[in-house]
Amino acid sequence: MTLDPGHFHAALIHKRSYPQVSPKVFIYAPLGRDLLAHLAHIHQFNTRAENPTAWELEIYTGADFLERMLSDRRGHIVVLAGRNRDKIRRIQACLDAGLHVLADKPWILDPAELPALDKALRSARRRGLIAYDIMTERFEVTNMLQRDLVQDREVFGEIEHGSETAPAVVMESVHHIYKTVAGAPVFRPVSFFDIEEQGEALSDVGTHLVDLVQWILFADQALDWRKDIAVLSAERWPESLSREQFARVTGVTEFPESLRRWVNGDKLDYYCNNRVHYTLRGVHVQLDVLWRYEAPPGAGDTHYAVFRGSRSRIEIRQGEAENFRPELYVIPNREDDRDALRAVLAQRVQQWQDRYPGIGLADRDGALWITIPDALRVGHEAHFGQVVEDFLQFLEDPSRMPAWETPNMRVNYAVTTQGVALARRSQPEQKQ
């Protein structure tokens, strides 16, 4: 069952079929542009020439769509994406009804909602239900390899702790408001630009970066949000959109009343850029979560990540030199260590062939470059299907759910919500 799809990620769950899942999909949502955009995506998946899906849709659009879904119980899995302000309440209602939940980030936007998150996770555990956050970036091959290398003491050494001026971990994510998904321009609902509904960049996209930091740095370890993190500083600033830009992505020609507080003259100040500096078990981390209106020709969303160890630093770059594809580099801290490090990496490349067939090692601009064949680059949209596969395995055998998932999810949302709250206190919105 799909509940009130307010983001295209709900549709990407259906880009492929799953043998364990019936083709019957029950959608409960108000009739409007968001629902129509969701249906258009699924129609595209069902009618494409290559490997089409065969989803059969039954749709209910009454005002009581949530209550009707809970009473109908036409399935036992609920998919949620978008509608972030009210999401945790809806998740709790689904769990109270005995339903498994697959929900896109973010689950909460405010530190005051952390107790509600705890309650939902306790409810799932007590009832034997799976409540799962859609962390797609764990399936990006460069992130997986970066994790392997950071955990390899012969390659990476020990993680440096860094400082406020020189963090040991730095990540930057750049997303774009106008983009294409599944070959078609993305429709952005008006609510996407309401930061009280959608969230700012850190509380939304930033969940992926916080998750990656702890997933890479402390692999398979459970963290404690009450003692393992400290949010030190945070910033925020807007991306200003013209009426023409806003209309291009929403189909709405004037800024609506719901966004009036962020309208400055003839521009909409969309507070979609954040920087946060925090420590994780004493390691200094800086995250820049950024939005631009549109990518340059030939480019798309980009990801940069560096982890600094005592032997080397492990970097993902996705700039013009990489043809805007993520590439993975190992940079020795000492030049006289390069040959020994190259020899270790050559061994790893051979050992990885079963997991990463075709992976290689080369030199590029003074760095040791882990070359990745196109066959391993499945793309962001395919990662949603990989998340669903894991989710379905957990449904079949709940013991396969890692013990660190729940506590580390709490850490994730503690960092994102506290970071945004601190940024808002430090830099309130300004009117011209």
Side-chain angles (χ1 to χ4, degrees), residues 106-374:
W107 287 28
I108 60 172
L109 301 177
D110 191 280
E113 296 176 303
L114 284 166
L117 175 64
D118 278 338
K119 180 183 177 183
L121 295 173
R122 285 196 305 269
S123 296
R125 184 173 63 251
R126 185 176 65 251
R127 291 172 171 269
L129 300 170
I130 302 299
Y132 201 54
D133 202 354
I134 301 176
M135 291 288 101
T136 50
E137 292 306 305
R138 297 178 191 173
F139 294 88
E140 163 57 41
V141 65
T142 49
N143 295 333
M144 295 163 67
L145 286 163
Q146 188 173 48
R147 185 182 197 235
D148 289 341
L149 291 172
V150 168
Q151 293 299 314
D152 191 326
R153 293 294 169 257
E154 286 191 79
V155 174
F156 185 66
E158 300 293 332
I159 182 67
E160 295 181 355
H161 281 75
S163 65
E164 289 196 54
T165 55
V169 179
V170 175
M171 284 192 185
E172 179 191 88
S173 170
V174 181
H175 280 63
H176 297 90
I177 296 166
Y178 181 81
K179 64 169 67 173
T180 59
V181 168
V186 168
F187 161 76
R188 302 285 188 187
V190 167
S191 62
F192 178 83
F193 298 94
D194 183 345
I195 58 174
E196 301 301 335
E197 167 64 34
Q198 177 72 15
E200 297 192 23
L202 178 61
S203 55
D204 183 18
V205 175
T207 57
H208 286 301
L209 301 193
V210 178
D211 180 72
L212 284 176
V213 170
Q214 55 208 36
W215 182 74
I216 290 171
L217 206 53
F218 299 106
D220 303 326
Q221 297 182 44
L223 303 167
D224 186 338
W225 70 271
R226 291 160 296 192
K227 59 183 183 181
D228 285 337
I229 62 168
V231 179
L232 305 179
S233 64
E235 303 173 48
R236 66 196 294 251
W237 62 96
E239 179 80 1
S240 293
L241 274 68
S242 68
R243 282 184 170 82
E244 292 74 20
Q245 289 174 321
F246 183 78
R248 186 185 183 199
V249 294
T250 64
V252 178
T253 56
E254 296 293 330
F255 299 130
E257 188 61 34
S258 61
L259 303 180
R260 184 61 51 190
R261 62 181 278 197
W262 298 293
V263 175
N264 262 325
D266 61 351
K267 300 278 190 178
L268 173 68
D269 282 346
Y270 177 35
Y271 278 83
C272 57
N273 299 295
N274 288 117
R275 170 175 292 163
V276 66
H277 188 160
Y278 68 101
T279 57
L280 179 64
R281 288 187 174 173
V283 176
H284 284 266
V285 179
Q286 179 181 301
L287 307 179
D288 286 3
V289 195
L290 312 174
W291 282 83
R292 302 289 180 259
Y293 181 72
E294 187 176 2
D301 295 346
T302 60
H303 177 72
Y304 170 77
V306 56
F307 288 75
R308 303 182 188 279
S310 58
R311 290 204 68 188
S312 67
R313 69 181 190 269
I314 315 297
E315 290 190 13
I316 295 174
R317 305 174 196 160
Q318 194 175 355
E320 189 172 355
E322 290 75 34
N323 294 317
F324 302 106
R325 298 202 314 178
E327 299 287 359
L328 183 64
Y329 303 95
V330 179
I331 301 93
N333 290 347
R334 295 172 296 278
E335 186 59 33
D336 58 6
D337 210 16
R338 177 180 297 273
D339 289 344
L341 198 54
R342 182 196 300 276
V344 174
L345 286 171
Q347 287 181 339
R348 298 297 182 267
V349 164
Q350 291 303 313
Q351 293 165 356
W352 283 336
Q353 291 304 314
D354 287 344
R355 291 174 59 203
Y356 307 110
I359 204 141
L361 179 63
D363 290 286
R364 175 183 272 183
D365 300 328
L368 299 168
W369 174 29
I370 307 298
T371 61
I372 302 169
D374 289 344

